[in-house]
Amino acid sequence: MQLLTKTLLSSFMLSSLILTGCSGGGSDTGSSSNNNGSIGTGSTLKWVEGEFPPYQQLANQCAVNNSSYGLNEKLWLRSWSNDTYLWYNEIIDRDPAPYGVIEYFQLLKTTELSASGKEKDKFHFSMPTSEWEQLNQSGASVGYGLNLYLQQASADVDRKVTVTYTEPGTPATNANIARGAVIVSINGVSVKDANDTASINTLNQGLFPTTAGQQTQFSILDLGAAQPRNVTLTAQTVVSTPVQNVKTVATPTGNVGYMQFNSHIATAERGLVDAITELKTLDVKDLVLDLRYNGGGLLALASQLGYMIAGEQATENRIFERSTFNDKYPTTDPVTGESLTPMPFIDQSIGFNSGLLGAGQALPSLNLQRLYVLTTDSTCSASEALINSLRGIDIEVIQLGGTTCGKPYGFYPTPNCGETYFTVQFKGENDKGFGDYSDGFVPSTSPTLASEIKGCQLTDDLSHALGDKEERLLSAALYYRDNNRCPTAPASVAKAPAKPQFVDQGYILEDTRLQNVMFNNRILTQVKQ
């Protein structure tokens, strides 16, 4: 595995050394097509249905004041999608002329449904390259440091916003806001009673700020409080702390480790290494990994964590994930051009953020044969890949909580002309060749399907702090460890309630910021041009 790991590390290092092209604009000078068929900067093409020039020849022909360059950007997107998109043959080949660049990109995906009737591709998006690089490298995004659970209004329930956790050292923690607090009103608008577009816009703008310095007044009912209190929060650039609440629970049969892991971003590499090192020093016999709010991110981090959980003996010469691309590329990666090589369980640091941790350092490991994972429907993508890949090497995984989101797909973030695009390019499978969990992993007391995992289906418990051994999911994990079965639970918490059938789509609370979309995906190394 050492050779495979070194090869992978070299690939990561190479991609980081190649400069991104056309980060802000382009030149209106250049030549037309050369005799060898290449397309020079400044050339103008036309859309011809069914004809797709190589996208590499269209890259970085960026619009400035020349509308033809906008067309070239769209033609680049079209050819890139036709070449690398997993379901390229399901894209309708439209003339791009009537559409803006981003508007056209949104059309370059399948409209088909999955076998269960859900939208097949729910993962198509883009963001400014500068924003992506800041977000990926440091977890920096505008906000208050609040992570929220949004309960939409329906015929069955009232609209409700509850704090699930907060980021340390942020406006939220400075105002003593903690898990379980309910936001009653925002800038004088009642969360429960808002019933018109203007009021809903006020709520969304207050909950999900886009500009640092934005001030918002909240009425907050703290957990256990009789009356709400007023708090004014000022949005700022918040740097996420993806690894939190590393601790142990002492039991008669040894220490049980607990770790809250919120996102697979670059800064998590150092946090994970420090957490596993600490837990190893404390001689933990089992680990409860809290992934309930982890939407995914960098796949290599999931591979590293898999190694740190299972250890060298269990992972040596085993596959963390095998990526399969569209039928044009059965043996070659369409993005890198290299022969398809499965991702191993990575046993060295990659140095995603070299200021925190350099590359090539041996990773610590717990050498566990079993893992308890805490999940909700916000557990997605790279988090699901971790679960799937450990099961692929016969590490026993016990799942407590809700069904995961179901995202076995991923992509290479690809920049062009200052925008980075994310389109589904591969599907992941574990060492046993399994990757069919598009409807999520389901905790079950009697699993029968490959996507069902032994464990307990339970609702999230917002009345206790994360890491509190009395919190429902952690408590259930500890009980299961001692009794090899689920605790008896009231019917109201035994499983997640069904989604409301008649939510008023005109009045929903929704975080549409690009930072939220990015945190819920499976990402290979960024492509540089």
Side-chain angles (χ1 to χ4, degrees), residues 224-277:
Q227 297 294 328
R229 62 186 173 103
N230 292 327
V231 175
T232 298
L233 299 180
T234 302
Q236 64 180 41
T237 299
V238 172
V239 177
S240 172
T241 303
V243 182
Q244 299 185 27
N245 288 331
V246 181
K247 60 180 65 177
T248 60
V249 178
T251 77
T253 52
N255 288 334
V256 176
Y258 170 86
M259 180 171 64
Q260 176 190 346
F261 182 30
N262 297 328
S263 182
H264 291 73
I265 57 175
T267 52
E269 184 178 31
R270 178 58 187 266
L272 290 172
V273 169
D274 289 347
I276 297 298
T277 299

Short mmCIF file of all heavy atoms in Angstrom, two decimals, residues 224-277:
data_model
loop_
_atom_site.label_atom_id
_atom_site.label_comp_id
_atom_site.label_asym_id
_atom_site.label_seq_id
_atom_site.Cartn_x
_atom_site.Cartn_y
_atom_site.Cartn_z
N GLY A 224 -34.50 24.99 28.13
CA GLY A 224 -34.85 25.01 29.54
C GLY A 224 -35.31 26.35 30.07
O GLY A 224 -35.75 26.46 31.21
N ALA A 225 -35.23 27.40 29.22
CA ALA A 225 -35.63 28.74 29.67
C ALA A 225 -37.14 28.92 29.56
O ALA A 225 -37.80 28.31 28.72
CB ALA A 225 -34.92 29.80 28.85
N ALA A 226 -37.69 29.78 30.42
CA ALA A 226 -39.13 30.05 30.41
C ALA A 226 -39.49 31.17 29.45
O ALA A 226 -40.60 31.19 28.89
CB ALA A 226 -39.62 30.40 31.82
N GLN A 227 -38.58 32.10 29.23
CA GLN A 227 -38.84 33.25 28.38
C GLN A 227 -37.70 33.45 27.39
O GLN A 227 -36.54 33.18 27.70
CB GLN A 227 -39.00 34.52 29.23
CG GLN A 227 -40.17 34.50 30.19
CD GLN A 227 -41.51 34.48 29.46
OE1 GLN A 227 -41.64 35.06 28.37
NE2 GLN A 227 -42.51 33.82 30.06
N PRO A 228 -38.01 33.94 26.19
CA PRO A 228 -36.94 34.21 25.21
C PRO A 228 -36.14 35.45 25.59
O PRO A 228 -36.58 36.27 26.39
CB PRO A 228 -37.71 34.42 23.90
CG PRO A 228 -39.07 34.86 24.32
CD PRO A 228 -39.36 34.18 25.64
N ARG A 229 -34.98 35.57 25.02
CA ARG A 229 -34.14 36.76 25.20
C ARG A 229 -33.76 37.30 23.83
O ARG A 229 -33.73 36.57 22.84
CB ARG A 229 -32.88 36.43 26.01
CG ARG A 229 -31.97 35.40 25.35
CD ARG A 229 -30.81 35.01 26.27
NE ARG A 229 -30.01 33.92 25.73
CZ ARG A 229 -28.81 34.05 25.15
NH1 ARG A 229 -28.26 35.27 25.02
NH2 ARG A 229 -28.15 33.01 24.70
N ASN A 230 -33.47 38.59 23.77
CA ASN A 230 -33.08 39.23 22.51
C ASN A 230 -31.56 39.27 22.38
O ASN A 230 -30.85 39.63 23.34
CB ASN A 230 -33.65 40.65 22.43
CG ASN A 230 -35.16 40.64 22.29
OD1 ASN A 230 -35.74 39.75 21.69
ND2 ASN A 230 -35.80 41.66 22.86
N VAL A 231 -31.09 38.91 21.21
CA VAL A 231 -29.65 38.90 20.93
C VAL A 231 -29.44 39.51 19.55
O VAL A 231 -30.14 39.16 18.60
CB VAL A 231 -29.09 37.45 20.94
CG1 VAL A 231 -27.64 37.45 20.52
CG2 VAL A 231 -29.25 36.83 22.31
N THR A 232 -28.47 40.41 19.43
CA THR A 232 -28.09 40.95 18.13
C THR A 232 -26.76 40.33 17.73
O THR A 232 -25.77 40.43 18.46
CB THR A 232 -27.96 42.48 18.16
OG1 THR A 232 -29.24 43.05 18.48
CG2 THR A 232 -27.52 43.00 16.80
N LEU A 233 -26.76 39.68 16.56
CA LEU A 233 -25.54 39.03 16.07
C LEU A 233 -25.05 39.76 14.83
O LEU A 233 -25.85 40.16 13.97
CB LEU A 233 -25.81 37.57 15.73
CG LEU A 233 -26.26 36.65 16.87
CD1 LEU A 233 -26.46 35.24 16.36
CD2 LEU A 233 -25.25 36.67 18.01
N THR A 234 -23.75 39.91 14.72
CA THR A 234 -23.13 40.51 13.55
C THR A 234 -22.41 39.44 12.76
O THR A 234 -21.51 38.76 13.29
CB THR A 234 -22.13 41.61 13.96
OG1 THR A 234 -22.81 42.60 14.74
CG2 THR A 234 -21.52 42.26 12.73
N ALA A 235 -22.81 39.26 11.51
CA ALA A 235 -22.19 38.24 10.67
C ALA A 235 -20.72 38.56 10.43
O ALA A 235 -20.34 39.72 10.30
CB ALA A 235 -22.92 38.13 9.34
N GLN A 236 -19.91 37.52 10.40
CA GLN A 236 -18.50 37.69 10.13
C GLN A 236 -18.00 36.48 9.34
O GLN A 236 -18.73 35.51 9.13
CB GLN A 236 -17.70 37.82 11.43
CG GLN A 236 -17.73 36.57 12.31
CD GLN A 236 -16.93 36.74 13.60
OE1 GLN A 236 -16.97 37.79 14.23
NE2 GLN A 236 -16.20 35.70 13.99
N THR A 237 -16.76 36.55 8.90
CA THR A 237 -16.16 35.39 8.25
C THR A 237 -15.81 34.37 9.33
O THR A 237 -14.93 34.62 10.16
CB THR A 237 -14.91 35.77 7.45
OG1 THR A 237 -15.30 36.70 6.43
CG2 THR A 237 -14.29 34.55 6.79
N VAL A 238 -16.52 33.27 9.32
CA VAL A 238 -16.36 32.24 10.34
C VAL A 238 -15.48 31.13 9.80
O VAL A 238 -15.70 30.62 8.70
CB VAL A 238 -17.74 31.66 10.75
CG1 VAL A 238 -17.57 30.46 11.67
CG2 VAL A 238 -18.58 32.74 11.41
N VAL A 239 -14.47 30.77 10.56
CA VAL A 239 -13.61 29.64 10.20
C VAL A 239 -14.09 28.42 10.95
O VAL A 239 -14.10 28.37 12.17
CB VAL A 239 -12.13 29.93 10.54
CG1 VAL A 239 -11.27 28.72 10.21
CG2 VAL A 239 -11.65 31.15 9.75
N SER A 240 -14.52 27.42 10.19
CA SER A 240 -15.10 26.23 10.78
C SER A 240 -14.08 25.42 11.55
O SER A 240 -12.90 25.34 11.18
CB SER A 240 -15.71 25.36 9.66
OG SER A 240 -16.12 24.12 10.15
N THR A 241 -14.52 24.82 12.65
CA THR A 241 -13.73 23.84 13.40
C THR A 241 -14.37 22.48 13.16
O THR A 241 -15.33 22.10 13.84
CB THR A 241 -13.70 24.18 14.90
OG1 THR A 241 -13.19 25.50 15.09
CG2 THR A 241 -12.84 23.18 15.67
N PRO A 242 -13.90 21.73 12.17
CA PRO A 242 -14.62 20.51 11.77
C PRO A 242 -14.55 19.36 12.75
O PRO A 242 -15.43 18.50 12.74
CB PRO A 242 -13.95 20.14 10.44
CG PRO A 242 -12.60 20.78 10.49
CD PRO A 242 -12.76 22.02 11.29
N VAL A 243 -13.53 19.33 13.60
CA VAL A 243 -13.41 18.26 14.60
C VAL A 243 -13.59 18.87 15.98
O VAL A 243 -12.83 19.75 16.38
CB VAL A 243 -12.05 17.55 14.50
CG1 VAL A 243 -11.96 16.41 15.52
CG2 VAL A 243 -11.81 17.03 13.08
N GLN A 244 -14.62 18.42 16.70
CA GLN A 244 -14.94 18.98 18.01
C GLN A 244 -15.26 17.87 19.01
O GLN A 244 -15.48 16.72 18.64
CB GLN A 244 -16.14 19.92 17.89
CG GLN A 244 -15.97 21.11 16.97
CD GLN A 244 -17.17 22.05 17.01
OE1 GLN A 244 -17.89 22.15 17.99
NE2 GLN A 244 -17.39 22.75 15.91
N ASN A 245 -15.29 18.25 20.27
CA ASN A 245 -15.79 17.38 21.36
C ASN A 245 -15.11 16.02 21.41
O ASN A 245 -15.76 14.98 21.53
CB ASN A 245 -17.30 17.17 21.23
CG ASN A 245 -18.09 18.41 21.58
OD1 ASN A 245 -17.65 19.24 22.38
ND2 ASN A 245 -19.24 18.57 20.96
N VAL A 246 -13.79 16.02 21.29
CA VAL A 246 -13.06 14.76 21.40
C VAL A 246 -12.97 14.41 22.88
O VAL A 246 -12.45 15.18 23.69
CB VAL A 246 -11.65 14.89 20.79
CG1 VAL A 246 -10.90 13.57 20.90
CG2 VAL A 246 -11.75 15.35 19.33
N LYS A 247 -13.48 13.23 23.24
CA LYS A 247 -13.51 12.85 24.66
C LYS A 247 -13.63 11.35 24.80
O LYS A 247 -13.80 10.62 23.80
CB LYS A 247 -14.69 13.53 25.36
CG LYS A 247 -16.06 13.17 24.79
CD LYS A 247 -17.19 13.89 25.53
CE LYS A 247 -17.11 15.39 25.35
NZ LYS A 247 -18.24 16.10 26.02
N THR A 248 -13.58 10.88 26.02
CA THR A 248 -13.78 9.46 26.28
C THR A 248 -14.87 9.30 27.34
O THR A 248 -15.10 10.18 28.18
CB THR A 248 -12.51 8.77 26.79
OG1 THR A 248 -12.08 9.39 28.01
CG2 THR A 248 -11.40 8.83 25.76
N VAL A 249 -15.54 8.16 27.25
CA VAL A 249 -16.52 7.76 28.26
C VAL A 249 -15.98 6.50 28.92
O VAL A 249 -15.73 5.48 28.26
CB VAL A 249 -17.89 7.48 27.62
CG1 VAL A 249 -18.88 7.02 28.69
CG2 VAL A 249 -18.41 8.71 26.89
N ALA A 250 -15.77 6.58 30.22
CA ALA A 250 -15.24 5.42 30.95
C ALA A 250 -16.34 4.38 31.15
O ALA A 250 -17.46 4.72 31.54
CB ALA A 250 -14.66 5.86 32.29
N THR A 251 -16.04 3.13 30.86
CA THR A 251 -16.98 2.03 31.09
C THR A 251 -16.23 0.89 31.78
O THR A 251 -14.99 0.85 31.76
CB THR A 251 -17.59 1.51 29.77
OG1 THR A 251 -16.63 0.70 29.09
CG2 THR A 251 -18.02 2.66 28.86
N PRO A 252 -16.95 -0.07 32.37
CA PRO A 252 -16.27 -1.20 33.02
C PRO A 252 -15.42 -2.03 32.06
O PRO A 252 -14.52 -2.75 32.50
CB PRO A 252 -17.44 -2.03 33.57
CG PRO A 252 -18.55 -1.04 33.75
CD PRO A 252 -18.40 -0.08 32.63
N THR A 253 -15.69 -1.92 30.76
CA THR A 253 -14.94 -2.71 29.79
C THR A 253 -13.98 -1.85 28.97
O THR A 253 -13.56 -2.25 27.88
CB THR A 253 -15.91 -3.45 28.84
OG1 THR A 253 -16.84 -2.51 28.28
CG2 THR A 253 -16.67 -4.53 29.59
N GLY A 254 -13.64 -0.69 29.49
CA GLY A 254 -12.65 0.15 28.82
C GLY A 254 -13.21 1.47 28.35
O GLY A 254 -14.43 1.69 28.33
N ASN A 255 -12.31 2.37 27.97
CA ASN A 255 -12.71 3.69 27.50
C ASN A 255 -13.33 3.62 26.11
O ASN A 255 -12.85 2.91 25.23
CB ASN A 255 -11.50 4.62 27.46
CG ASN A 255 -11.03 5.03 28.84
OD1 ASN A 255 -11.82 5.04 29.79
ND2 ASN A 255 -9.75 5.36 28.97
N VAL A 256 -14.41 4.38 25.94
CA VAL A 256 -15.05 4.53 24.64
C VAL A 256 -14.78 5.95 24.16
O VAL A 256 -15.09 6.91 24.86
CB VAL A 256 -16.57 4.27 24.72
CG1 VAL A 256 -17.22 4.52 23.36
CG2 VAL A 256 -16.84 2.84 25.19
N GLY A 257 -14.20 6.08 22.98
CA GLY A 257 -13.92 7.38 22.43
C GLY A 257 -15.15 7.98 21.75
O GLY A 257 -16.00 7.26 21.24
N TYR A 258 -15.23 9.29 21.76
CA TYR A 258 -16.30 10.02 21.06
C TYR A 258 -15.66 11.19 20.33
O TYR A 258 -14.77 11.87 20.85
CB TYR A 258 -17.35 10.55 22.04
CG TYR A 258 -18.34 11.51 21.39
CD1 TYR A 258 -19.46 11.03 20.73
CD2 TYR A 258 -18.12 12.88 21.40
CE1 TYR A 258 -20.35 11.91 20.10
CE2 TYR A 258 -19.00 13.77 20.79
CZ TYR A 258 -20.11 13.28 20.13
OH TYR A 258 -20.98 14.14 19.51
N MET A 259 -16.12 11.43 19.11
CA MET A 259 -15.60 12.53 18.31
C MET A 259 -16.70 13.06 17.41
O MET A 259 -17.35 12.31 16.69
CB MET A 259 -14.42 12.06 17.47
CG MET A 259 -13.81 13.13 16.59
SD MET A 259 -12.27 12.59 15.82
CE MET A 259 -12.83 11.25 14.78
N GLN A 260 -16.92 14.37 17.44
CA GLN A 260 -17.86 15.05 16.55
C GLN A 260 -17.08 15.52 15.33
O GLN A 260 -16.16 16.33 15.44
CB GLN A 260 -18.51 16.22 17.27
CG GLN A 260 -19.44 17.07 16.42
CD GLN A 260 -19.86 18.35 17.14
OE1 GLN A 260 -19.67 18.48 18.36
NE2 GLN A 260 -20.39 19.30 16.40
N PHE A 261 -17.45 15.04 14.16
CA PHE A 261 -16.75 15.38 12.92
C PHE A 261 -17.77 15.98 11.96
O PHE A 261 -18.67 15.30 11.48
CB PHE A 261 -16.09 14.13 12.33
CG PHE A 261 -15.30 14.37 11.07
CD1 PHE A 261 -14.67 15.57 10.81
CD2 PHE A 261 -15.18 13.34 10.13
CE1 PHE A 261 -13.95 15.78 9.65
CE2 PHE A 261 -14.46 13.53 8.96
CZ PHE A 261 -13.84 14.75 8.72
N ASN A 262 -17.62 17.28 11.66
CA ASN A 262 -18.66 18.03 10.96
C ASN A 262 -18.45 18.22 9.47
O ASN A 262 -19.42 18.46 8.75
CB ASN A 262 -18.82 19.41 11.59
CG ASN A 262 -19.28 19.34 13.03
OD1 ASN A 262 -20.01 18.43 13.42
ND2 ASN A 262 -18.85 20.30 13.84
N SER A 263 -17.21 18.14 8.97
CA SER A 263 -17.00 18.41 7.55
C SER A 263 -15.62 17.93 7.12
O SER A 263 -14.63 18.11 7.83
CB SER A 263 -17.13 19.91 7.26
OG SER A 263 -16.97 20.17 5.89
N HIS A 264 -15.56 17.36 5.90
CA HIS A 264 -14.30 16.90 5.32
C HIS A 264 -13.64 18.05 4.56
O HIS A 264 -13.55 18.05 3.33
CB HIS A 264 -14.55 15.73 4.37
CG HIS A 264 -14.98 14.47 5.02
ND1 HIS A 264 -16.25 14.29 5.55
CD2 HIS A 264 -14.34 13.30 5.21
CE1 HIS A 264 -16.35 13.06 6.03
NE2 HIS A 264 -15.21 12.44 5.84
N ILE A 265 -13.18 19.06 5.27
CA ILE A 265 -12.47 20.18 4.64
C ILE A 265 -10.99 20.09 4.99
O ILE A 265 -10.58 19.31 5.84
CB ILE A 265 -13.05 21.54 5.09
CG1 ILE A 265 -13.01 21.67 6.61
CG2 ILE A 265 -14.46 21.72 4.56
CD1 ILE A 265 -13.45 23.04 7.11
N ALA A 266 -10.19 20.91 4.31
CA ALA A 266 -8.74 20.79 4.42
C ALA A 266 -8.24 20.87 5.85
O ALA A 266 -7.34 20.13 6.26
CB ALA A 266 -8.07 21.87 3.56
N THR A 267 -8.80 21.78 6.65
CA THR A 267 -8.33 21.96 8.03
C THR A 267 -8.64 20.75 8.91
O THR A 267 -8.07 20.62 9.99
CB THR A 267 -8.94 23.21 8.66
OG1 THR A 267 -10.37 23.16 8.51
CG2 THR A 267 -8.42 24.46 7.99
N ALA A 268 -9.54 19.87 8.45
CA ALA A 268 -9.88 18.70 9.26
C ALA A 268 -8.73 17.71 9.37
O ALA A 268 -8.67 16.92 10.30
CB ALA A 268 -11.11 18.00 8.68
N GLU A 269 -7.78 17.77 8.42
CA GLU A 269 -6.69 16.79 8.44
C GLU A 269 -5.92 16.86 9.75
O GLU A 269 -5.70 15.84 10.42
CB GLU A 269 -5.75 17.00 7.25
CG GLU A 269 -4.67 15.94 7.18
CD GLU A 269 -3.76 16.11 5.97
OE1 GLU A 269 -3.55 17.28 5.53
OE2 GLU A 269 -3.24 15.10 5.47
N ARG A 270 -5.53 18.06 10.15
CA ARG A 270 -4.79 18.21 11.40
C ARG A 270 -5.68 17.86 12.60
O ARG A 270 -5.24 17.20 13.55
CB ARG A 270 -4.26 19.63 11.54
CG ARG A 270 -3.51 19.91 12.85
CD ARG A 270 -2.33 18.96 13.03
NE ARG A 270 -1.69 19.07 14.32
CZ ARG A 270 -0.62 19.85 14.55
NH1 ARG A 270 -0.11 20.57 13.57
NH2 ARG A 270 -0.07 19.89 15.73
N GLY A 271 -6.94 18.30 12.56
CA GLY A 271 -7.85 18.01 13.66
C GLY A 271 -8.07 16.52 13.86
O GLY A 271 -8.12 16.02 14.99
N LEU A 272 -8.19 15.78 12.76
CA LEU A 272 -8.40 14.33 12.86
C LEU A 272 -7.15 13.63 13.40
O LEU A 272 -7.25 12.72 14.23
CB LEU A 272 -8.76 13.76 11.48
CG LEU A 272 -10.14 14.14 10.94
CD1 LEU A 272 -10.28 13.68 9.50
CD2 LEU A 272 -11.25 13.55 11.80
N VAL A 273 -5.99 14.05 12.93
CA VAL A 273 -4.74 13.45 13.42
C VAL A 273 -4.58 13.68 14.92
O VAL A 273 -4.25 12.77 15.69
CB VAL A 273 -3.53 14.00 12.64
CG1 VAL A 273 -2.22 13.60 13.31
CG2 VAL A 273 -3.56 13.51 11.20
N ASP A 274 -4.85 14.91 15.35
CA ASP A 274 -4.73 15.22 16.78
C ASP A 274 -5.75 14.42 17.60
O ASP A 274 -5.44 13.92 18.68
CB ASP A 274 -4.94 16.72 17.01
CG ASP A 274 -3.78 17.56 16.52
OD1 ASP A 274 -2.71 16.99 16.21
OD2 ASP A 274 -3.94 18.80 16.43
N ALA A 275 -6.99 14.30 17.08
CA ALA A 275 -8.03 13.59 17.81
C ALA A 275 -7.69 12.10 17.94
O ALA A 275 -7.81 11.52 19.03
CB ALA A 275 -9.37 13.76 17.10
N ILE A 276 -7.27 11.47 16.84
CA ILE A 276 -6.95 10.05 16.89
C ILE A 276 -5.73 9.81 17.78
O ILE A 276 -5.67 8.82 18.53
CB ILE A 276 -6.72 9.49 15.48
CG1 ILE A 276 -8.02 9.60 14.66
CG2 ILE A 276 -6.25 8.05 15.54
CD1 ILE A 276 -9.19 8.81 15.21
N THR A 277 -4.76 10.71 17.71
CA THR A 277 -3.58 10.59 18.58
C THR A 277 -3.99 10.64 20.05
O THR A 277 -3.53 9.83 20.87
CB THR A 277 -2.57 11.71 18.27
OG1 THR A 277 -2.14 11.60 16.91
CG2 THR A 277 -1.36 11.62 19.19
#
